[in-house]
Amino acid sequence: MATVDLLFAALFNAAVLFLVTAGLQLIFGVQRIVNLTAGSLYALGAYFGASVFEWFSAQGGSPVLLLPVLILSGLLAGQVGFIVERVLRTVYGRDEAFQLLMTFTFVLMFQDVLRYVWGAQPRLLGDLPSVYGTLVVGEFTFPVYNLLVMASALVVAGLLYWLIERTSLGHVVRATAENGRMAEALGANTRRINMLVFVLGSMLGTVGGALVIPTTAASLEMPIALIVEAFAVVVIGGLGSIRGAFLGAIIVGVLRALSLTYFPELEVMSIYLVVIVVLVARPYGLFGKAEA
Amino acid sequence: MKTILAFLAVLAAFVAAPFALGPYYTTLIIPILAYAIALTGLNLLFGYGGLLSFGHAMFLAIGAYASAVMGAKLGVRAFEAQLIVAMLASGTVAALIGLLCLRYTTIFFSMLTLAFGMIFHSFLFKFYDLTGGESGISVPRPSLFGASFASMSKTAFLVGPFYWYALGLFSVMFLLMALIVSSPFGLALKAGRDNERKTSFLGVPVFKVRYVAFILSGIYCAVGGAVLAVSIGAADPELSYWTQSGNMIFIIILGGLGQLFGPIVGAVSFTLLQDTLMANTEYWRFALGAILALIIIFAPRGILGLITRALEWRRR
């Protein structure tokens, strides 16, 4: 009984983590920038999703539309990636320490933007997941909302795979990731690709944030706490690998659920011990490439 | 020679400061000195060695907790003894994790240091008996060179004896660093940053040089942390969080990366900046982030770089 519930919580966690870290990986894969802003985008998605849904309900919108409304508001919030990329562009080609720090300045700035718009109080969207009811399998009950979020993450994983591996746009993205200059010489508009990839990565983060809001409160601690977990996911999975994010998210999700149940204070420690073991044994993560 | 003159100018400014500014601002300067000591060490690793650590807040916290645990739990009030323990503890930890972290450079080095920093952060929460958990430990007033200054008020102690002690400590550690970076060791470190392969072909043991720089930077950070803990009166886990590491790097870049005076210039400007911003707006983080972004884009060599450029321009 307990194990099944635990696994279920872990997988829900993993689904959200996967969405956010897939964005991180996409951006790192193409631009070689570790985007610390991912946590802030996640929080932005959560706050924005909450506000949009409140507005939607006030207009008399049906609560059954919770999931699509949240996904849409997440996609909308992700457009802020345009602005971030525009500024980040100034440090392309510079030392990676500066690029990393540039994203850190966005973490600082977003922190106050969120506080300015939504205030310091955490924000919670009532007990909404119950609109979808629960699924009873034998002696277990699962909230359907959480199942839908997991399904959405799987759909996103599939779409990303299709986009990157099967479409012509994906070929150009992969070529840019492999060798930006050469891709440019062959006629790819790498400037546009960079922008596109960054906004897509941002949208993954904001959608991830919007989807957790019915189950967790949006708070100002979100961005920095999420980075801690997201970082572990990308390191375990291997920087730049979306497959890695998938597996890494599941590993971190399970670890987190296990330690929260059995040794609550060891949560971060257990995750990061695994990170160190992975880095020492396989420095480039489970699916990473050596020359990153 | 130039370095000595510049150092004497900085020293004169700090000697004059308590008389010119009064006690309130003098208490603000002690953290500046603490950060300047710590960042002088981090600058060796990041500025001269080209290794961006996102976990050095850990060493700052080790220093702070060493002072706090010695003073509050073990009753050792002598600050000299606390410093030695802080340096030994931090040096040992740095020697151990340096072996692992320095197998990598660039982003992987940053990630490993961040990972160790996070483990240490949660260690501080977990081992409540030793570390006081979330609220940390308050630091009792240490004795300096055997004198306990028991009759002084807290502020009088901080702006009086402790200020001069911290300034002396900074001077010693700064001059030591000036010697280190101009030594063959410092040259080897810089060469390894600029071209690792060429440097090792010249027979420089790049790993060993970096390893020593890593340990030194950890020791400097611990000394800074111990001074910081006394000046704020407490050691708490926030000191070791990754955002603190981010701030430390911020200060170095603000002052001027890889320049001997970068950390002290950065620490002074950062504190003034933060103090002014916090006094004027609730949204000081935004302003701070925006300023850092502008510095990164337009003045990657920081305030010192701007000054150098202005001087060269005038000379023309």
Side-chain angles (χ1 to χ4, degrees):
Chain A
M1 171 74 201
T3 351
V4 173
D5 282 340
L6 198 129
L7 200 65
F8 185 73
L11 289 180
F12 175 69
N13 232 314
V16 175
L17 263 177
F18 166 72
L19 288 172
V20 182
T21 51
L24 252 170
Q25 300 286 51
L26 196 63
I27 293 170
F28 184 85
V30 176
Q31 287 154 317
R32 295 276 173 266
I33 292 177
V34 175
N35 182 25
L36 295 177
T37 321
S40 312
L41 291 164
Y42 170 75
L44 175 76
Y47 276 112
F48 191 73
S51 291
V52 167
F53 191 74
E54 272 167 14
W55 172 83
F56 180 76
S57 309
Q59 304 299 306
S62 156
V64 180
L65 291 174
L66 176 68
L67 191 71
V69 167
L70 286 180
I71 290 179
L72 272 178
S73 60
L75 291 174
L76 206 62
Q79 304 310 310
V80 82
F82 276 112
I83 304 173
V84 179
E85 200 270 347
R86 188 63 199 82
V87 180
L88 210 54
R89 191 187 291 169
T90 54
V91 292
Y92 286 172
R94 293 264 286 276
D95 192 78
E96 60 182 17
F98 283 97
Q99 299 175 342
L100 188 66
L101 277 174
M102 198 69 186
T103 66
F104 182 65
T105 67
F106 276 103
V107 175
L108 292 172
M109 289 191 274
F110 264 109
Q111 200 69 10
D112 270 354
V113 169
L114 296 177
R115 191 204 310 268
Y116 179 75
V117 179
W118 284 282
Q121 290 299 317
R123 214 156 233 266
L124 188 64
L125 261 192
D127 185 29
L128 278 169
S130 53
V131 297
Y132 292 111
T134 51
L135 181 72
V136 183
V137 179
E139 51 177 321
F140 307 114
T141 49
F142 306 112
V144 173
Y145 178 80
N146 297 28
L147 287 170
L148 286 173
V149 169
M150 290 180 210
S152 314
L154 281 177
V155 169
V156 168
L159 277 177
L160 272 176
Y161 176 81
W162 172 77
L163 182 76
I164 291 172
E165 301 289 328
R166 293 278 180 267
T167 65
S168 56
L169 177 69
H171 291 312
V172 182
V173 168
R174 277 189 294 150
T176 310
E178 201 74 37
N179 188 335
R181 280 221 170 145
M182 188 53 101
E184 201 159 4
L186 292 172
N189 187 345
T190 48
R191 218 166 215 256
R192 236 190 59 209
I193 296 290
N194 277 334
M195 170 137 281
L196 203 83
V197 163
F198 197 89
V199 174
L200 191 60
S202 305
M203 289 196 302
L204 285 167
T206 46
V207 169
L211 287 178
V212 288
I213 188 66
T215 60
T216 336
S219 71
L220 290 173
E221 278 87 60
M222 260 178 150
I224 301 203
L226 180 98
I227 277 295
V228 172
E229 280 179 16
F231 223 74
V233 171
V234 298
V235 174
I236 292 173
L239 270 173
S241 158
I242 293 183
R243 268 192 306 174
F246 194 83
L247 195 66
I250 293 176
I251 293 176
V252 172
V254 170
L255 270 177
R256 197 185 133 179
L258 276 177
S259 51
L260 276 180
T261 320
Y262 298 110
F263 333 88
E265 309 94 334
L266 284 183
E267 183 197 345
V268 172
M269 203 186 278
S270 65
I271 293 173
Y272 271 84
L273 279 174
V274 173
V275 167
I276 286 173
V277 169
V278 169
L279 270 176
V280 170
R282 282 187 66 99
Y284 304 107
L286 299 176
F287 292 105
K289 277 193 206 153
E291 46 67 62
Chain B
M1 196 60 214
K2 248 177 157 180
T3 310
I4 294 176
L5 281 180
F7 174 71
L8 286 177
V10 170
L11 195 63
F14 275 98
V15 170
F19 303 105
L21 296 174
Y24 170 71
Y25 285 101
T26 309
T27 52
L28 279 184
I29 304 177
I30 302 171
I32 295 184
L33 288 170
Y35 275 108
I37 295 171
L39 299 177
T40 300
L42 185 56
N43 194 29
L44 179 73
L45 187 70
F46 176 36
Y48 293 95
L51 294 163
L52 172 61
S53 162
F54 241 89
H56 261 55
M58 165 169 59
F59 298 114
L60 198 71
I62 289 178
Y65 275 92
S67 172
V69 171
M70 292 275 289
K73 309 257 163 171
L74 306 175
V76 180
R77 293 291 175 89
F79 195 58
E80 294 75 30
Q82 296 181 0
L83 279 178
I84 290 170
V85 169
M87 288 159 86
L88 283 177
S90 183
T92 312
V93 173
L96 288 175
I97 69 174
L99 282 177
L100 282 178
C101 295
L102 286 166
R103 287 166 63 181
Y104 313 106
T105 52
T106 65
I107 197 72
F108 293 95
F109 174 78
S110 309
M111 289 191 311
L112 251 183
T113 46
L114 180 96
F116 279 110
M118 288 314 302
I119 289 189
F120 184 76
H121 179 75
S122 44
F123 168 88
L124 291 179
F125 276 90
K126 171 71 187 160
F127 293 90
Y128 187 87
D129 292 337
L130 187 65
T131 63
E134 194 177 356
S135 46
I137 319 175
S138 64
V139 179
R141 181 184 303 179
S143 67
L144 309 174
F145 299 122
S148 66
F149 305 101
S151 59
M152 283 183 165
S153 75
K154 188 174 183 321
T155 323
F157 169 74
L158 284 178
V159 303
F162 193 69
Y163 179 82
W164 300 110
Y165 195 94
L167 185 57
L169 207 53
F170 167 71
S171 305
V172 171
M173 307 232 21
F174 178 89
L175 292 173
L176 211 60
M177 186 56 73
L179 291 178
I180 292 173
V181 296
S182 58
S183 70
F185 166 81
L187 278 179
L189 187 65
K190 276 185 275 188
R193 168 195 67 188
D194 295 337
N195 193 326
E196 180 174 349
R197 193 175 284 186
K198 268 188 195 168
T199 311
S200 46
F201 282 169
L202 289 172
V204 174
V206 177
F207 178 86
K208 273 190 203 153
V209 170
R210 286 178 174 161
Y211 188 54
V212 173
F214 190 82
I215 296 173
L216 281 174
S217 69
I219 291 175
Y220 267 74
C221 283
V223 173
V227 174
L228 193 65
V230 173
S231 80
I232 49 185
D236 71 285
E238 273 307 292
L239 274 177
S240 73
Y241 207 50
W242 72 267
T243 48
Q244 173 77 10
S245 295
N247 278 336
M248 289 163 72
I249 298 158
F250 181 160
I251 300 174
I252 291 184
I253 301 234
L254 183 71
L257 178 63
Q259 296 162 87
L260 196 53
F261 287 92
I264 182 78
V265 171
V268 172
S269 352
F270 182 83
T271 311
L272 288 178
L273 194 67
Q274 194 177 32
D275 209 50
T276 321
L277 290 174
M278 280 170 97
N280 288 302
T281 166
E282 188 189 337
Y283 302 104
W284 55 273
R285 273 192 203 82
F286 186 88
L288 210 57
I291 290 171
L292 178 61
L294 290 175
I295 294 238
I296 292 174
I297 297 171
F298 297 109
R301 289 182 59 77
I303 293 173
L304 278 180
L306 285 178
I307 294 174
T308 325
R309 221 192 294 166
L311 288 177
E312 276 168 8
W313 185 75
R314 269 190 57 186
R315 217 171 283 158
R316 252 187 264 150

